[in-house]
Amino acid sequence: MEKNYVIGIDYGSDSVRALLLDSADGRELGESVFYYPRWMEGQYCDPGKNQFRQHPGDYLDGLEYTVKDVLGQAAGSAEYVRGIAVDTTGTTLCAVDREGTPLVFKEKWKDNPHAMFVLWKDHTAIKEAAEINALIEGGAFDDYTRYTGGVYSSEWLWAKILHLLREEEDLRKEAYSWVEHCDWIPAVLTGNTRPESMYRSRCAAGHKAAWHEEFGGLPSEEFLSAVDPLLAGVRARLYERTETAEKRAGFLCPEWAEKLGLSTGVVIGGSAFDCHMGAVGGGIRPFDLCKVVGTSTCDIMVSPYDFMKDRAVGGICGQVDGSVLPGMVGLEAGQAAFGDIYAWFKRILLWPLEEFLDDDEQKKAIRKKLLPRIEEVASGLPPEENLVALDWMNGRRTPWTDQSLQGVVAGINLGTDAPRFYRSLVEATAFGARKIMERFMEEGMEIRRVIAIGGVAKKSSFVMQILSDVMNRPILVAESLQAVALGSGMFAAVAAGIYGTLEEAQKAMGCGFAARYEPRPDWTDHYQKMFCKYEKLSRLLDEKYFH
């Protein structure tokens, strides 16, 4: 039998990972992870300002390292690689010149954060997002948020572009266009980086740039100029046409073929955001709710056209034709922080250790053991109702995005210890997840299964059990720890012509499920009471404190 291998590449918030897959059965032949060096050092970031930037050099170094690494793990595999596809976080965008080169690669811009890729969780554009929403609410223009949940977010393309243009006068002169991370990597691999002709992702455009066929593509020039004259002309240098991710972006260019040790006959597939490709890797079907559980969460559904009809789901992060599975409407929601909240708590507890302990090996051992030990103790605690937290440490993405919100923990007393505090944070993230499920259901969406993928889903049974209890739903956890990269591999297999549809690729390459969490009746009753407190605290603070 002829061998047909594919490579799925997944760009996350901290690292890029690659999977070398046998397309016949999804068997993993090689796996590699590369952590972004500049990002790990905290370069170009200022969490106090909600500024999170990344250097594209980290992306390219990681691409070359991981692909060569997985090929090295399977000797002789390079000649059988037929396709590569990529997913990334988003909106993660960057200013580029006429050739599609990020400005940061020019000497003048080499250390300027505004010339870096602006990561999805950068919330420096809250003011700009508010102005976009206010203009739409005025009623003089089309409602460009109709298919993005009714609100435009500071995490998304237009708000971020406007913020950068306001911050950096020289950027207005030298930024010819703007690229999404998920568009730029296929452009680099194919050698077609010119903004006018490079591949542009339907997923990115629809969910984050308010692109929709009903509007003739992107929001009108008149609307954008009315938001701010600085946006005048930007639309014309972006794109009109978009493609779904199973389409070919092109073939591997000679430069990158030589770097990676592959042939120029390798197909480069289209791209999408990590959660959307991850849902495919996790086995999503119509009316499944697939939760990508990591630093944040992304909640994905797909629905047939005849069910959606003219339905526009409010309060989510968009519904886009073909953003997940071609021929269906993909719907996205999510939480702006999930695992990031646990990591924040861990950093607080470790502050004395980092400050006073000199032994690096001891530090490493304690870091590794800290949260597992806290979870072990927390899992044995009886139900308590005094502590309730809000999961808004990085703002609220869904329902009804509002990045100005902040986290809260209420009910602390002198008996509150680290395991109790931590459990309140885990419960808060579970309550936020339930709010998302209920938002879909309130709009008439049917939810048949709940699937979870991602690092937290695989690594913490404590978190997943509480999530099942709070949502009062069974939760299936995908077998593969790298379900997102697996999804990218499935898209690569379709783009390369190995399979005719993604459903065929899912059936052949799917990983199945490793665990099933069932809600515990005693705990669901307890969490129903706690959820009511969560909702009451949410309403109180949203209305009286934050606004």
Side-chain angles (χ1 to χ4, degrees), residues 101-341:
T101 301
L103 295 187
V104 69
F105 285 135
K106 299 185 176 184
E107 183 66 23
K108 173 181 176 180
W109 296 95
K110 67 177 183 178
D111 292 316
N112 190 323
H114 298 323
M116 309 288 173
F117 273 85
V118 183
L119 191 63
W120 63 269
K121 68 178 185 178
D122 185 297
H123 292 162
T124 51
I126 289 175
K127 177 176 181 289
E128 288 75 14
E131 293 173 19
I132 292 171
N133 288 314
L135 185 59
I136 291 173
E137 290 167 7
F141 297 92
D142 286 337
D143 181 4
Y144 292 112
T145 64
R146 170 173 168 78
Y147 299 106
T148 60
V151 184
Y152 201 79
S153 170
S154 63
E155 292 185 356
W156 298 349
L157 180 136
W158 293 111
K160 286 179 171 176
I161 290 177
L162 180 54
H163 178 75
L164 293 171
L165 291 175
R166 286 175 172 176
E167 288 286 301
E168 192 73 53
E169 183 176 356
D170 283 353
L171 204 64
R172 304 171 208 165
K173 303 172 185 176
E174 298 191 35
Y176 176 73
S177 189
W178 305 80
V179 296
E180 278 281 358
H181 186 191
C182 72
D183 293 344
W184 186 63
I185 298 298
V188 168
L189 288 173
T190 59
N192 178 18
T193 59
R194 291 186 64 84
E196 296 88 349
S197 60
M198 71 165 59
Y199 169 89
R200 299 285 189 165
S201 164
R202 170 76 55 83
C203 177
H207 284 288
K208 313 302 181 184
W211 184 97
H212 197 277
E213 291 179 343
E214 182 178 305
F215 308 136
L218 295 167
S220 70
E221 176 70 15
E222 293 74 20
F223 170 76
L224 295 170
S225 296
V227 173
D228 192 305
L230 290 177
L231 290 176
V234 173
R235 183 186 192 275
R237 299 192 299 274
L238 287 173
Y239 49 83
E240 292 184 6
R241 182 179 176 181
T242 65
E243 298 286 358
T244 50
E246 85 287 358
K247 302 288 180 62
R248 292 183 178 184
F251 291 88
L252 189 61
C253 68
E255 177 188 356
W256 276 89
E258 183 177 355
K259 284 184 179 181
L260 301 178
L262 294 169
S263 81
T264 55
V266 173
V267 171
I268 304 302
S271 64
F273 290 142
D274 47 1
C275 47
H276 300 73
M277 283 192 168
V280 174
I284 196 169
R285 303 187 306 222
F287 304 109
D288 286 347
L289 176 62
C290 182
K291 300 183 65 63
V292 185
V293 189
T295 55
S296 64
T297 75
C298 203
D299 296 58
I300 300 294
M301 293 192 69
V302 290
S303 177
Y305 298 143
D306 60 356
F307 180 84
M308 292 302 296
K309 296 180 180 177
D310 295 326
R311 181 183 278 112
V313 179
I316 63 170
C317 302
Q319 54 192 74
V320 178
D321 181 12
S323 66
V324 183
L325 292 173
M328 294 190 189
V329 177
L331 300 97
E332 176 192 345
Q335 292 164 267
F338 200 95
D340 262 356
I341 296 176

